[in-house]
Amino acid sequence: MKFRWIGFSLLMAAAALWPAMLPVTAQNNSDNVRGFNGRVLRYQAAMRRANAAEAAAIRAEAAPVFAQRAAALTALIRENPGAALGLAFSRELRDELASDFPDAASSLERQGEWEGTSDHLIFDDPARQVRRYQVQIQSGNDGAEVYSAGGEPHCVSGNTLLVKGVRVGNVIAAGSTSVKSGGAAVAGAGCSTTGAQNAAILLVQFPGVTLPASVTPSGVWDIFFSASGRSVTNYWNEASYGKASATGNVFGPYTLDRVYSCDEYNQMRTAAIAAADPDVHFPNYTRLFIVFPDPGSCGWAGLGSLGCGSLSSADGTFTASTSWLLATYMGSRDNGVKLSTHEGGHNLTLHHASSRDYAGEPLGPVGSAGTLGEYGDPFSTMGSWNFGHYGAPHKVQMGWLGSSNVVTTETNGSYSIQPYEQITGGVQALKVRRGTGNDAWLWLEYRQPLGQYDSALNSQIFNGALVHYQDSTTGTHTHLLDFNKSTSTYSDAALTGSYVDPYSNVSVSVTGATSSALSVNVFYGPVPCVRATPAVTLSPPNPSVYSGAQATYTVTILNNDTSGCLPTSFDLGSTAPAGWGTAFSSYSLTVNPGQSASATMTKDVPAGTTPGTYAVNAGTSDSDHAAAGGSANITVVAPPEPLFVALTATPSAVKVRSSVTLNAVVTKSGGVPVNGASVTFVVTRPGGSTSKTVKTNASGVATYAYKPTQKGTYSAMANASSGASSGSGGPVTFTAN
């Protein structure tokens, strides 16, 4: 009857969680994972009360739920890695569940760190609207996708990337990522961003899906290599001031063995290399471009690796970047050049040229990300569909602008910036620290209608400074600022007058613009006091505790005020979970601008709380700032069932070196025997003690035959453990004579 009662209670629990049993796509993935957490934990609670037969039935019933939870958590990692980290089980709870449900252990996440060679791909959709990227790491035969809670990892293909976080199968939610090495090695392997870029252009098609009639070998050759008109080689040569160019050849078209979808880009590349192997000695090339027809519903126009990786051919392993170019956009020369210099820019380690918007002002508070437009820069081919030169931060990144071409300043001064398009040893970029004591920078450059590319841009920018912003948000992107708020477009974004930063002590003025130079004044005044909403964080993200116990968090407040402000006293509070007891080590923290302070918060979990994952918060309030808050989770686990240990010693008196049988019977509540429990017998003898650990059998019995070696009275204890459950039996005594 007990087995039937447990099964019925589990079915009732499942019915209460019916929404969580819907397909993963039917609900928000965070809600799905939270719901599956509760179901798994209730199975665990039932396991702790079950006998062997009942445990087997519970494991069988729970197995598909573990698999569904893994699928939901994987989807959440790809969608929102920060939320996934906050809902993942702690390492200790994961180990308990793996012990209780060994057949489902492979479905559980793992906490840890992994490193491998990175492969960073950027997908460019036809409308240039949606940001999509993929970072993978490979170490030997082990590969994994990486999704970072801190945003896109700032790595390029070929870097050694260290990732710390939570892993489900081959998908990792990263709490932190760091590049250990690789940049110099990639360049040393021949993937330099300067010099001749040796490119193999492979034209491929599929059975029944041919290249458009407008895409021909000669036309594609002109797009890449023509010495006259617009081409990739002419663009790189002009934009790099003669430091880089494209060389190589066009091969094909080759008809591959089958139709490859746009999601099979790696397989398509392997097939394309195999098809071209008789004609191409791939180790001679460091840039690989694959032009292919749309096999149907391709969601991107181009795809490029951010840097180079190791590839294989019949002639051996070679190091190269890869771009996949949809033939739809390669039928005209100008479109082909725009797409190829964009994807080729990714291959040269550049990310997108984005815009950064702050509504009615050019720039918001220091540390504020604003609103990012992934392709929002209309003056760089790495942004919207245009011919513009790569921005100054990108050219510095590739070594195209040298130290004599860039002036970095954080003091008052007057500067003359020469046109961006001409070859000169003079200043072509001014890098201005955004106020005293921060790591944020304004990059100024001066565009003129010179050459084949910038001459196609909107004329407003020829009268002032294009300004890109760089801070911790930027990474390998560039971020264009809009200094003309009279319109809603970035096509006239140049700074033509003066800008006084209301959030720092810097001001920048354009005092003259001629065909030969832009005159700029930089001034640093007193630092103003600008209040900003503080940041509140909680750690750990999701501790696991028993109902009736207590959880501890560190609550950290970062004061985002400018350095011109006085310190602020922030009051602490918490409202979730509702009704739980909360205490702080300090209910008020005084924090200087730009600094952090922490307090300990404890949460009392009410006895009898249903196992599951609950939201936790903490917030601040004071008279000078808007209320701010941070969040985490807490996973409540049913307390372990106590183990009952009955210990006997037979006989109670023996001769020295004769056996005494210590017999421990381990049961749960209701007298259910515990199979496989570890029982440590501790025998205290005259002058010392000894111990022996034995596993219980199916009847819950563990036996130890002990032989006393000297006369006297002996005492024995039996300490049993099974998973998180434990109990002791004894003491019992016996004598030896």
Side-chain angles (χ1 to χ4, degrees):
M1 292 298 293
K2 183 178 181 182
F3 170 73
R4 291 182 181 177
W5 182 84
I6 290 177
F8 177 75
S9 68
L10 288 175
L11 289 173
M12 291 300 292
L17 286 164
W18 177 252
M21 298 177 68
L22 295 173
V24 171
T25 55
Q27 291 185 353
N28 176 275
N29 283 320
S30 290
D31 292 340
N32 269 292
V33 174
R34 194 181 297 275
F36 281 124
N37 282 2
R39 295 182 68 190
V40 164
L41 295 169
R42 287 188 268 284
Y43 280 120
Q44 183 192 39
M47 280 286 292
R48 290 176 172 174
R49 301 188 299 270
N51 60 29
E54 294 163 350
I58 293 169
R59 289 189 179 107
E61 186 177 325
V65 177
F66 276 84
Q68 289 173 319
R69 177 182 178 274
L73 185 57
T74 299
L76 183 59
I77 290 173
R78 291 188 170 116
E79 172 192 279
N80 187 337
L85 289 168
L87 289 167
F89 289 143
S90 67
R91 189 190 304 267
E92 296 76 16
L93 177 55
R94 186 266 176 205
D95 290 344
E96 284 186 20
L97 289 167
S99 176
D100 290 337
F101 300 88
D103 291 341
S106 61
S107 296
L108 290 166
E109 62 269 34
R110 290 176 286 156
Q111 308 268 358
E113 60 180 60
W114 299 267
E115 70 173 56
T117 302
S118 63
D119 183 23
H120 197 155
L121 299 177
I122 311 297
F123 299 78
D124 294 303
D125 79 310
R128 299 289 180 99
Q129 296 294 323
V130 179
R131 176 185 183 185
R132 182 185 169 198
Y133 69 90
Q134 183 180 84
V135 175
Q136 296 179 307
I137 56 174
Q138 190 74 33
S139 179
N141 293 325
D142 181 40
E145 302 171 24
V146 177
Y147 299 88
S148 174
E152 189 170 357
H154 298 327
C155 64
V156 301
S157 296
N159 286 149
T160 297
L161 188 66
L162 177 65
V163 178
K164 297 181 180 180
V166 170
R167 179 170 180 172
V168 183
N170 66 342
V171 177
I172 299 173
S176 67
T177 62
S178 59
V179 175
K180 293 186 64 177
S181 64
V186 171
C191 262
S192 173
T193 54
T194 59
Q197 307 298 307
N198 296 317
I201 320 300
L202 306 186
L203 305 184
V204 302
Q205 52 195 10
F206 314 120
V209 184
T210 59
L211 289 166
S214 58
V215 178
T216 63
S218 61
V220 172
W221 192 95
D222 285 341
I223 288 171
F224 279 91
F225 306 119
S226 177
S228 62
R230 292 185 180 127
S231 65
V232 174
T233 189
N234 284 344
Y235 176 90
W236 281 347
N237 185 64
E238 180 180 304
S240 70
Y241 316 104
K243 294 186 174 83
S245 61
T247 187
N249 215 331
V250 177
F251 302 92
Y254 302 99
T255 301
L256 303 186
D257 57 311
R258 65 175 177 86
V259 176
Y260 290 87
S261 74
C262 289
D263 291 331
E264 296 179 300
Y265 42 86
N266 284 329
Q267 298 94 318
M268 185 194 303
R269 176 176 59 190
T270 299
I273 291 174
D277 255 326
D279 304 322
V280 185
H281 186 75
F282 283 101
N284 289 343
Y285 297 94
T286 57
R287 308 294 174 192
L288 179 63
F289 292 84
I290 300 172
V291 180
F292 68 99
D294 189 347
S297 303
C298 191
W300 43 269
L303 165 61
S305 63
L306 203 64
C308 294
S310 181
L311 302 174
S312 297
S313 73
D315 298 307
T317 300
F318 64 106
T319 300
S321 62
T322 308
S323 284
W324 292 257
L325 309 174
L326 201 60
T328 309
Y329 301 89
M330 297 295 288
S332 76
R333 187 154 167 185
D334 278 359
N335 280 344
V337 171
K338 289 175 183 177
L339 181 59
S340 301
T341 53
H342 182 100
E343 302 306 333
H346 289 321
N347 297 161
L348 292 168
T349 73
L350 308 182
H351 216 310
H352 288 141
S354 305
S355 58
R356 197 154 170 180
D357 189 69
Y358 292 91
E361 53 187 347
L363 193 54
V366 176
S368 172
T371 301
L372 303 179
E374 185 69 14
Y375 298 93
D377 188 342
F379 307 114
S380 167
T381 188
M382 297 311 297
S384 61
W385 200 247
N386 71 85
F387 285 116
H389 279 210
Y390 303 137
H394 275 168
K395 288 192 181 184
V396 170
Q397 179 179 322
M398 293 186 292
W400 291 4
L401 281 175
S403 57
S404 67
N405 302 120
V406 182
V407 168
T408 300
T409 185
E410 49 189 318
T411 59
N412 298 345
S414 298
Y415 304 91
S416 179
I417 306 175
Q418 297 185 30
Y420 195 60
E421 300 78 11
Q422 66 186 25
I423 299 176
T424 175
V427 176
Q428 291 175 287
L430 182 63
K431 183 180 179 184
V432 180
R433 188 186 291 275
R434 190 195 173 188
T436 302
N438 59 53
D439 193 23
W441 301 87
L442 302 171
W443 287 76
L444 280 67
E445 60 194 53
Y446 183 43
R447 302 289 184 102
Q448 285 294 284
L450 303 174
Q452 299 188 77
Y453 302 98
D454 277 359
S455 58
L457 303 178
N458 186 39
S459 61
Q460 188 269 349
I461 64 165
F462 303 143
N463 301 311
L466 273 187
V467 184
H468 293 92
Y469 189 42
Q470 183 182 44
D471 64 0
S472 59
T473 299
T474 308
T476 52
H477 289 69
T478 59
H479 288 155
L480 178 68
L481 299 177
D482 184 5
F483 282 88
N484 182 11
K485 287 299 182 179
S486 63
T487 67
S488 60
T489 176
Y490 274 79
S491 63
D492 52 6
L495 172 64
T496 57
S498 296
Y499 172 69
V500 179
D501 189 353
Y503 303 104
S504 77
N505 62 328
V506 70
S507 61
V508 180
S509 298
V510 173
T511 59
T514 69
S515 60
S516 60
L518 183 77
S519 299
V520 176
N521 288 339
V522 177
F523 177 74
Y524 290 86
V527 180
C529 173
V530 180
R531 300 290 187 182
T533 304
V536 182
T537 56
L538 281 70
S539 65
N542 186 18
S544 53
V545 297
Y546 298 131
S547 61
Q550 193 176 75
T552 301
Y553 296 86
T554 298
V555 180
T556 301
I557 300 174
L558 171 63
N559 185 342
N560 286 318
D561 293 347
T562 62
S563 59
C565 299
L566 294 173
T568 298
S569 292
F570 296 99
D571 295 328
L572 295 175
S574 176
T575 59
W580 291 19
T582 305
F584 291 91
S585 60
S586 175
Y587 284 85
S588 180
L589 293 174
T590 300
V591 191
N592 291 321
Q595 297 186 3
S596 299
S598 300
T600 298
M601 178 180 73
T602 55
K603 286 285 183 180
D604 297 321
V605 183
T609 299
T610 302
T613 300
Y614 298 82
V616 174
N617 69 4
T620 67
S621 62
D622 71 283
S623 59
D624 294 323
H625 299 85
S631 62
N633 288 294
I634 184 170
T635 293
V636 179
V637 183
E641 292 281 314
L643 299 183
F644 302 95
V645 183
L647 177 64
T648 58
T650 307
S652 59
V654 295
K655 297 290 185 181
V656 172
R657 293 186 176 81
S658 297
S659 291
V660 173
T661 300
L662 298 174
N663 197 70
V665 180
V666 182
T667 58
K668 296 180 183 180
S669 58
V672 177
V674 180
N675 184 25
S678 294
V679 178
T680 299
F681 296 93
V682 180
V683 180
T684 303
R685 51 182 165 72
S689 64
T690 188
S691 64
K692 174 76 171 181
T693 300
V694 181
K695 293 283 189 181
T696 58
N697 60 22
S699 299
V701 177
T703 302
Y704 175 31
Y706 178 76
K707 293 183 178 181
T709 57
Q710 60 190 90
K711 294 181 179 181
T713 300
Y714 292 71
S715 176
M717 290 285 297
N719 302 314
S721 64
S722 177
S725 300
S726 62
S728 297
V732 296
T733 60
F734 57 91
T735 59
N737 50 51

